[in-house]
Amino acid sequence: MARRFRFITVERRGPVAVLRLERPDKRNAVNTGMIEEIGAFALGLPDKVRVMIITGSGPHFSAGLDLAEHRDRAASEGLKHSRLWHRVLDGLQYGGRPVIAALHGAVVGGGVEIAAAAHIRVADATAFYQLPEGRRGIFVGGGASVRVSRLIGVSRVTELMLTGRTLDAEEGQRIGLSHYLVEPGKALAKARELAATVSANAALSNYMILNALPRIAEMPAEGGFLAESMAAALTQTSLDARRGIEAFLKKRKASFD
Ligand code: 1HE
């Protein structure tokens, strides 16, 4: 059953929640209300929701920051607004619940930033990507300097921001903006299929994959190895680890709480 907020709709089927950006007449441009709703919804999800999918209504994922709303922001307001994006997207990335982005049409500016905060990105062949901030006289503010740079490399981000050029779905797939590239109209179905797989994992394993892994990857090697051992020790002594290993040895499918 779909529930409508002002700028998003959400629907839950078992352990999977689908959040849809719902401003198709404005190409899902992200105004303050929408980013706040994404944050409130994602942070308020009950534990039984194991995976979240984020997608866009209409022919585009998102045209990024709502430029009409941004026009008159003073520097201090712009700073707070950008920090709001950071809080919300940090909540998505590190909330402990895998997030899958199903992308189609425009994935532009802040749209790329939202997608980059997701853990798995599925694009359909209509997807195209842009970082047009240079053309608009602004700068990225939703975390792209960090997240997108880490995803595709700062050199590529520099080139994309300087030229504002459009990358098609194929190029996006080649450079790592998407993990999966599917036929037009099939991104959400593929995301649901992946969500079924991911939601069947042990919750603590998923939590460590989302929280320990990226932080360990940023650490100096020696600290990283120790942190990895601690994450491994904690995970492998859980009840779910006993169930998962037992199931494998008995040639059964594991089932977790
Ligand atoms: C918007 C926005 C928007 C569309 N803010 N209203 N993002 C951009 O620079 C992308 C700007 N948008 C576009 O390049 C195009 O709209 C699209 C390629 C995404 C889609 O084109 P199209 O031809 O299907 O739609 P359209 O006719 O351009 O737009 C339809 C309506 O949506 C129109 O409003 P209307 O009242 O005239 O019908 C547009 O004004 C409106 N619209 N995009 C506000 N972005 C956290 S910081 C992140 C920094 C950024 O994201 S910078 C990138 C901003």
Side-chain angles (χ1 to χ4, degrees):
M1 189 180 46
R3 188 168 150 215
R4 202 186 153 100
F5 291 73
R6 245 183 109 200
F7 303 111
I8 62 173
T9 50
V10 295
E11 178 213 324
R12 214 184 105 196
R13 275 197 220 162
V16 180
V18 178
L19 184 160
R20 212 180 276 273
L21 310 177
E22 197 70 62
R23 273 187 100 198
D25 52 327
K26 297 290 178 191
R27 308 308 184 250
N28 297 324
V30 184
N31 57 13
T32 305
M34 184 187 280
I35 197 78
E36 283 175 347
E37 284 183 5
I38 295 171
F41 175 72
L43 296 180
L45 280 171
D47 284 350
K48 51 192 167 200
V49 173
R50 302 286 286 264
V51 178
M52 191 176 124
I53 295 174
I54 184 159
T55 189
S57 180
H60 299 285
F61 176 71
S62 173
L65 180 69
D66 185 324
L67 294 170
E69 195 186 67
H70 200 62
R71 211 168 14 190
D72 298 321
R73 267 193 192 115
S76 60
E77 290 166 7
L79 174 71
K80 282 190 202 147
H81 182 77
S82 166
R83 299 299 287 157
L84 167 67
W85 275 68
H86 292 165
R87 274 198 309 283
V88 170
L89 297 188
D90 253 39
L92 284 189
Q93 184 172 4
Y94 297 116
R97 180 179 286 108
V99 178
I100 304 177
L103 307 172
H104 65 290
V107 184
V108 173
V112 177
E113 293 177 306
I114 294 172
H119 306 99
I120 302 180
R121 283 169 295 283
V122 182
D124 84 10
T126 68
F128 62 93
Y129 308 88
Q130 280 176 4
L131 291 173
E133 285 78 1
R135 290 185 180 178
R136 313 277 182 250
I138 56 174
F139 192 70
V140 289
S145 313
V146 177
R147 268 192 204 94
V148 185
S149 292
R150 287 182 182 163
L151 199 57
I152 61 174
V154 69
S155 168
R156 282 201 182 96
V157 175
T158 307
E159 188 269 331
L160 290 174
M161 285 183 69
L162 285 174
T163 63
R165 79 179 169 95
T166 303
L167 274 79
D168 64 15
E170 290 271 346
E171 189 175 0
Q173 170 77 9
R174 189 156 43 77
I175 69 171
L177 281 170
S178 58
H179 297 99
Y180 297 84
L181 179 56
V182 297
E183 284 171 30
K186 298 276 197 291
L188 184 57
K190 181 68 187 176
R192 284 191 195 279
E193 180 193 317
L194 292 164
T197 303
V198 170
S199 66
N201 290 343
L204 186 60
S205 295
N206 278 353
Y207 186 89
M208 289 297 185
I209 293 165
L210 305 191
N211 277 282
L213 182 66
R215 277 146 179 151
I216 292 170
E218 301 283 316
M219 288 172 141
E222 279 313 314
F225 291 138
L226 179 63
E228 179 185 272
S229 298
M230 292 196 286
L234 197 64
T235 312
Q236 81 202 15
T237 48
S238 66
L239 180 58
D240 278 346
R242 228 178 297 156
R243 288 178 178 142
I245 293 170
E246 192 68 11
F248 173 78
L249 295 175
K250 296 210 165 125
K251 303 188 190 309
R252 287 193 269 106
K253 191 173 177 307
S255 128
F256 304 111
D257 290 335

